[in-house]
């Protein structure tokens, strides 16, 4: 067996999610090769070659892949995939975008967002917003799989010395083009991989009040997230959303502030190691999953939390 | 231009699902069903395009058992012009759904196909991308804004870390994210009118598509339940517990 992992990156640095996908690939067994497709992505290829357990790194460096357009990327991956038994990518927005296209072009089913590898053809994945866990078996010749990064430990970033091989194939489907982007800027750790996350919900009342959470986050080195209610109300941008339709996080500590705990939010955070809920409604469903619950007005509790944390951290 | 919208009948999003005791699946008997929320957004977007004079006809398609006609009627009541029901009682997985939709696309030749980004039951997030691949169209997934501009469509996409805008040649496939729009409610007169709108029923065999599943589900289990925790009295106790008991700070 040989497994192709498609690296997730931003052309300058490799996303940690890729290391988690390598761990999933190692659980399947066989040689693990990594494909880095992008533009000016040499540093990413070098980083991928150092991941422990990687056999070979293939690099397709071309303007056609610079913005990760699914139409171009999928044609490249389909061509490279032919020699492999498995094709894996992280279940981020890039992997979710291009990999089903790859699967359809290969005429195989895709298995989305796996949380465990049972064997080379059998995988475990959540369905119904995480309220049921399905074990599925694929009979396809090439298994196309997206991996939930938070369900697998990151493979060590150092320790490997894979050969880097350049691919000169250029696939430009001519169906789409990049127009522009709006990146959310933040100095805080990435929400998907942060070890502590503090999130606010509708109870925050407005966007300015999220500064209270940011102050706490600064002390803890945490990322700041939000519920769908807070995003829909326009308090914070949508890339901060944690839930079935937003990001899936599984930090060591998740602090939910003013979040009731709807099914779709729990789907995004219920695998956190320790969950803290601060809510003034003691009937809120979030308290059913919280390890530590504090029934209090967040506008009093959060500033106190900041003061208390200053003493101990 | 003609717009094709695919809708799916799923368990209502507010329902807390129960896994069957024999671990073969989720219990759907006597459970409230509804249109998948992302599909509602797809219908709404198509109707808005028609109101802007961009779309001339909206065709809505659903794959599933007889009861899926309820969701097609709902879409008709929201402003779609006619429906196509691909009737089957079998489980249809994403790749096969995409193949059925491809057959409909070839027959109807829409300029734009709008789907939800994922159904809240299987949580696959695949069908739109697969349909785009099979029909050779460009794809604008997780759309939060769709602007048709001549022979192109500009789609703003919700991605990790922000927003990206791409331009796609038409015909194209778009999948909706939650923030694309706020779906309207159907009024009673429109629900009555929708009953008279045409709804064609066909079978997967009529379209020449084999829907045999590729993935077999070995078992479905309830997730490990979290132990209910404790309530703390104040912030000082909370910080103390986090530091000395949970050791996470």
């Amino acid at each position: 067996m040989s497994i192709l992992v498609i690296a997730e990156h931003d052309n300058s640095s490799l996303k940690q999610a890729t290391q988690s996908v390598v761990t999933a690939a190692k659980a399947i067994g066989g040689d693990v090769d990594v494909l880095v497709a992008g533009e000016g992505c040499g540093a990413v290829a070098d980083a991928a070659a150092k991941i422990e357990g990687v056999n070979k790194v293939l690099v397709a460096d071309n303007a056609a892949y610079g913005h990760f357009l699914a139409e171009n990327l999928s044609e490249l991956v389909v061509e490279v995939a032919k020699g492999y038994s498995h094709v894996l990518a992280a279940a981020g927005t890039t992997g979710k975008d291009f990999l089903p296209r790859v699967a359809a072009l290969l005429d195989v089913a895709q298995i989305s967002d796996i949380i465990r590898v049972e064997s080379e053809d059998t995988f475990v994945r959540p369905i119904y917003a995480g309220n049921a866990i399905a074990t599925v078996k694929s009979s396809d010749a090439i298994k196309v799989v997206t991996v939930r990064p938070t369900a697998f430990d990151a493979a060590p970033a150092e320790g490997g010395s894979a050969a880097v091989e350049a691919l000169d194939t250029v696939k430009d489907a001519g169906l789409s083009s990049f127009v522009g982007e709006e990146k959310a800027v933040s100095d805080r750790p990435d929400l998907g991989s942060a070890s502590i996350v503090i999130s606010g919900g509708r109870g925050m009342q407005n966007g300015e009040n999220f500064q209270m959470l940011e102050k706490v986050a600064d002390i803890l080195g945490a990322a700041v997230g939000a519920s769908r209610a807070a995003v829909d109300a326009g308090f914070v941008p949508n890339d901060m959303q944690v839930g079935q339709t937003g990001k899936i996080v599984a930090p060591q500590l998740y602090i939910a502030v003013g979040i009731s705990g709807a099914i779709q939010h729990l789907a995004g955070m219920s695998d956190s190691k320790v969950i803290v809920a601060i809510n003034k409604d003691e009937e809120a469903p979030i308290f059913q999953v919280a390890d530590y619950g504090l029934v209090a007005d967040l506008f009093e509790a959060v500033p106190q939390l900041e003061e208390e944390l200053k003493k101990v951290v | 231009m003609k717009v094709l919208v695919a809708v799916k009948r799923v368990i209502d999003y507010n329902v807390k699902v129960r896994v069957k005791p024999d671990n073969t699946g989720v219990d759907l008997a006597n459970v409230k069903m509804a249109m998948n929320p992302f599909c509602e957004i797809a219908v709404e977007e198509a109707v808005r395009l028609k109101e802007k004079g961009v779309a001339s006809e909206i065709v809505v398609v659903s794959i599933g058992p007889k009861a899926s006609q309820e969701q097609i009627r709902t879409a008709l009541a929201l402003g779609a012009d006619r429906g196509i029901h691909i009737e089957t009682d079998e489980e249809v997985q994403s790749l096969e759904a995409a193949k059925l939709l491809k057959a409909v696309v070839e027959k109807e030749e829409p300029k734009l196909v709008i789907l939800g980004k994922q159904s809240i039951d299987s949580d696959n997030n695949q069908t739109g991308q697969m349909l785009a691949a099979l029909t050779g169209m460009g794809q604008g997934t997780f759309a939060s804004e769709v602007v048709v501009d001549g022979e192109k469509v500009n789609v703003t996409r919700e991605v990790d870390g922000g927003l990206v805008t791409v331009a796609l040649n038409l015909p194209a496939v778009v999948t909706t994210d939650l923030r694309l729009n706020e779906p309207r409610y159907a009024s009673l007169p429109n629900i009555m009118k929708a009953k008279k709108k045409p709804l064609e029923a066909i079978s997967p065999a009529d379209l020449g598509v084999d829907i045999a599943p590729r993935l077999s589900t070995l078992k479905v289990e309830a997730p490990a339940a979290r132990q209910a925790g404790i309530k703390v009295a104040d912030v000082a106790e909370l910080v103390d517990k986090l530091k000395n008991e949970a050791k996470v700070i």
Side-chain angles (χ1 to χ4, degrees):
Chain A
M1 278 187 308
S2 50
I3 301 164
L4 183 66
V5 169
I6 318 297
E8 185 159 333
H9 63 93
D10 60 4
N11 287 319
S12 55
S13 64
L14 187 68
K15 295 264 169 74
Q16 201 196 10
T18 308
Q19 290 158 243
S20 298
V21 181
V22 168
T23 301
K26 285 196 271 190
I28 296 168
D31 285 343
V32 180
D33 293 355
V34 176
L35 171 64
V36 177
E39 184 182 13
C41 54
V44 179
D46 292 341
K50 289 193 190 115
I51 301 176
E52 194 180 284
V54 173
N55 175 57
K56 186 167 71 177
V57 175
L58 303 165
V59 191
D61 195 334
N62 190 281
Y65 313 126
H67 297 288
F68 315 110
L69 294 170
E71 296 81 4
N72 301 351
L73 207 49
S74 58
E75 287 194 14
L76 169 74
V77 175
V78 164
E79 188 169 295
V80 178
K82 291 203 168 120
Y84 291 88
S85 58
H86 295 74
V87 180
L88 271 56
T93 50
T94 308
K96 287 177 181 175
D97 185 36
F98 79 85
L99 207 60
R101 202 173 169 106
V102 170
L105 294 173
L106 292 170
D107 193 28
V108 302
Q110 175 183 291
I111 305 161
S112 293
D113 213 12
I114 63 159
I115 56 170
R116 206 161 70 225
V117 173
E118 291 282 293
S119 72
E120 61 181 85
D121 61 2
T122 305
F123 305 91
V124 178
R125 61 179 298 262
I127 53 177
Y128 291 90
N131 288 297
I133 307 293
T135 304
V136 293
K137 185 178 162 104
S138 164
S139 54
D140 285 316
I142 303 180
K143 277 76 172 167
V144 174
V145 179
T146 60
V147 176
R148 179 176 290 192
T150 55
F152 296 88
D153 293 334
E158 299 289 332
S161 55
V164 177
E165 192 179 302
L167 296 175
D168 47 16
T169 8
V170 178
K171 300 280 185 186
D172 189 344
L175 294 169
S176 56
S177 55
F178 172 81
V179 176
E181 66 188 335
E182 237 178 88
K183 280 189 181 158
V185 279
S186 169
D187 318 328
R188 295 205 174 74
D190 176 53
L191 185 57
S193 53
S195 62
I196 301 179
V197 173
I198 180 165
S199 286
R202 202 196 300 273
M204 298 303 296
Q205 296 184 358
N206 61 47
E208 281 91 72
N209 289 336
F210 266 75
Q211 287 170 5
M212 297 194 314
L213 303 188
E214 288 169 16
K215 286 180 190 162
V216 175
D218 286 341
I219 299 170
L220 294 171
V224 179
S227 70
R228 184 184 157 194
V231 174
D232 281 352
F235 299 172
V236 290
N238 56 47
D239 57 314
M240 282 170 65
Q241 185 184 325
V242 172
Q244 182 186 20
T245 56
K247 288 206 177 66
I248 311 286
V249 302
Q252 293 292 306
L253 173 60
Y254 188 88
I255 307 173
V257 182
I259 292 176
S260 64
I263 292 173
Q264 101 89 32
H265 186 74
L266 299 181
M269 47 62 84
S270 57
D271 287 330
S272 304
K273 186 161 170 274
V274 174
I275 297 173
V276 170
I278 300 175
N279 204 304
K280 65 181 174 190
D281 174 12
E282 62 180 315
E283 301 296 319
I286 192 78
F287 286 119
Q288 292 163 20
V289 300
D291 299 280
Y292 302 106
L294 175 62
V295 180
D297 184 340
L298 70 92
F299 293 101
E300 288 167 20
V302 176
Q304 282 173 20
L305 180 63
E306 186 194 340
E307 291 308 313
E308 289 291 327
L309 287 171
K310 275 183 188 159
K311 293 182 203 162
V312 297
V313 177
Chain B
M1 68 180 198
K2 191 193 278 189
V3 177
L4 182 72
V5 182
V7 301
K8 186 176 182 184
R9 175 183 174 85
V10 299
I11 196 164
D12 185 89
Y13 74 97
N14 281 312
V15 174
K16 175 100 174 119
V17 300
R18 281 193 317 272
V19 171
K20 287 187 197 167
D22 64 359
N23 294 119
T24 55
V26 161
D27 193 357
L28 295 178
N30 303 315
V31 169
K32 188 183 175 201
M33 303 293 279
M35 190 190 295
N36 182 44
F38 291 99
C39 303
E40 283 184 12
I41 294 167
V43 172
E44 175 67 30
E45 194 62 19
V47 173
R48 290 186 188 191
L49 287 172
K50 194 173 176 193
E51 288 168 345
K52 280 186 211 152
V54 176
S56 51
E57 187 188 24
I58 302 168
V59 181
V60 57
V61 56
S62 191
I63 304 164
K66 185 92 181 167
S68 305
Q69 292 196 2
E70 284 171 33
Q71 279 63 47
I72 298 177
R73 290 286 174 205
T74 303
L76 295 175
L78 291 170
D81 295 293
R82 63 187 167 89
I84 299 173
H85 177 213
I86 304 173
E87 191 177 342
T88 172
D89 288 324
E90 306 296 315
E91 179 206 357
V92 179
Q93 295 178 348
S94 297
L95 180 63
E96 288 68 38
K99 287 179 178 178
L100 290 167
L101 294 175
K102 177 191 180 222
V104 174
V105 165
E106 283 171 351
K107 201 165 117 215
E108 297 285 341
E109 299 182 339
K111 274 272 181 170
L112 192 62
V113 187
I114 313 180
L115 304 87
K117 78 166 178 179
Q118 75 190 68
S119 64
I120 58 162
D121 51 359
S122 67
D123 281 335
N124 270 338
N125 196 332
Q126 299 174 4
T127 307
Q129 295 89 315
M130 288 180 157
L131 174 64
L134 298 175
T135 54
M137 294 186 200
Q139 65 187 53
T141 52
F142 328 142
S144 59
E145 194 182 358
V146 176
V147 181
V148 176
D149 178 15
E151 281 305 298
K152 289 200 184 271
V153 57
N154 279 355
V155 180
T156 301
R157 307 179 49 237
E158 296 198 4
V159 298
D160 296 336
L163 298 168
V164 164
T165 303
V166 293
L168 308 171
N169 299 343
L170 292 174
V173 174
V174 168
T175 73
T176 62
D177 217 316
L178 284 169
R179 271 162 291 277
L180 181 58
N181 60 48
E182 182 94 19
R184 70 192 69 189
Y185 291 99
S187 66
L188 187 60
N190 285 342
I191 293 170
M192 298 312 287
K193 274 187 232 157
K195 292 185 178 175
K196 295 205 173 64
K197 289 184 178 177
L199 200 172
E200 176 193 2
I202 50 176
S203 73
D206 293 338
L207 296 170
V209 177
D210 175 10
I211 57 164
R214 303 290 189 87
L215 300 175
S216 49
T217 301
L218 304 183
K219 61 180 172 191
V220 175
E221 297 160 295
R226 278 191 86 95
Q227 296 292 328
I230 57 159
K231 293 250 171 78
V232 293
D234 53 32
V235 170
E237 187 188 348
L238 174 64
V239 171
D240 176 64
K241 295 272 187 203
L242 291 178
K243 185 155 181 77
N244 300 315
E245 190 175 279
K247 299 189 189 331
V248 284
I249 56 171

